[in-house]
Amino acid sequence: MTVEDLEREKEIYRAQAAATGKPAPVIEKIVDGKMAKFYEEVCLLDQPFIKDQAISVKELIAQKVGKLGENITVRRFCAVQGGRDGLDCGADQAGGNSRGVSV
């Protein structure tokens, strides 16, 4: 995800919030909340862990690092989408631009 993509999302959310007629400080808080939700949906480390939805992938990694005493790096993953047959494990997903987690 590029900086331009993130700025485009912010502008969309800002325009939506401005249409409600709320004051600027409230609009910025709305945009911050919507961006946090956006990150949770599109960023692998912010997504809920598929086997335990109460924790994020980032929290799971931190737990495993503490238990193993070794640093852990996510180098690649497979995206799984509901309603589709098979997995998407192409090279373009190594950059983290996809959604979903393969466990």
Side-chain angles (χ1 to χ4, degrees), residues 13 15 32 49 70 79-80 99:
Y13 295 145
D32 291 344
F49 178 52
E70 294 287 331
V80 180
R99 299 172 73 182

Side-chain angles (χ1 to χ4, degrees), residues 22-84:
K22 298 190 190 277
V26 174
I27 289 173
E28 288 308 311
K29 288 184 181 184
I30 291 170
V31 170
D32 291 344
K34 288 188 177 229
M35 287 304 294
K37 182 67 175 169
F38 176 76
Y39 290 133
E40 185 178 302
E41 292 175 1
V42 299
C43 298
L44 172 68
L45 296 179
D46 293 331
Q47 292 178 7
F49 178 52
I50 197 164
K51 290 185 178 180
D52 182 359
Q53 298 284 312
I55 64 171
S56 68
V57 173
K58 184 187 312 181
E59 293 167 335
L60 174 73
I61 291 172
Q63 288 175 4
K64 298 302 179 185
V65 166
K67 183 177 179 180
L68 298 172
E70 294 287 331
N71 194 16
I72 297 174
T73 304
V74 177
R75 292 182 16 196
R76 67 178 224 184
F77 65 95
C78 291
V80 180
Q81 285 185 315
R84 289 186 49 194

